[in-house]
Amino acid sequence: MKSRTKARSIALQVLFELDLAPDHKPGEVFQRRINNEELSDKLSEFTREIVVGVIPMRTSLDDFIAQHAPEWPVDQVAVIDRNILRIALWEFAV
């Protein structure tokens, strides 16, 4: 797996867990995932940027998805798919 792809995969895991367990603390979830992986500092930072970038924008990203895919209510989209879309939209926006 390419390095940036691996970083995105870890960010996806963090966002997925936070969607399913909103009471979990983002920093703790992120740190736990990073500790289980061998990533360079640069890739760890890239992963952190994704997570920290997506979390505060979830509502606006979900609104954008809902606006452009009205036949797919965001709350009915699979959690994994919803977070892949969020990450992709965030990366396009950055």
Side-chain angles (χ1 to χ4, degrees):
M1 180 182 303
K2 291 185 178 181
S3 299
R4 287 178 64 95
T5 302
K6 186 171 185 174
R8 286 183 187 98
S9 174
I10 296 167
L12 178 61
Q13 292 171 30
V14 172
L15 294 169
F16 180 87
E17 180 175 339
L18 294 173
D19 245 13
L20 293 179
D23 58 318
H24 290 189
K25 295 180 179 162
E28 291 175 8
V29 174
F30 171 76
Q31 197 59 50
R32 191 170 53 250
R33 295 285 181 214
I34 289 297
N35 289 342
N36 292 332
E37 301 292 336
E38 290 185 27
L39 288 178
S40 68
D41 290 342
K42 184 177 179 178
L43 289 175
S44 292
E45 179 59 23
F46 178 58
T47 304
R48 189 194 68 74
E49 286 175 15
I50 294 170
V51 172
V52 170
V54 169
I55 289 173
M57 294 182 64
R58 284 186 288 199
T59 302
S60 58
L61 292 169
D62 289 352
D63 290 345
F64 184 84
I65 294 165
Q67 178 184 1
H68 294 283
E71 63 282 349
W72 288 26
V74 177
D75 61 336
Q76 293 179 12
V77 173
V79 176
I80 195 82
D81 295 340
R82 183 170 53 234
N83 282 292
I84 290 170
L85 287 168
R86 287 172 177 164
I87 290 170
L89 290 171
W90 176 82
E91 282 199 68
F92 280 127
V94 176

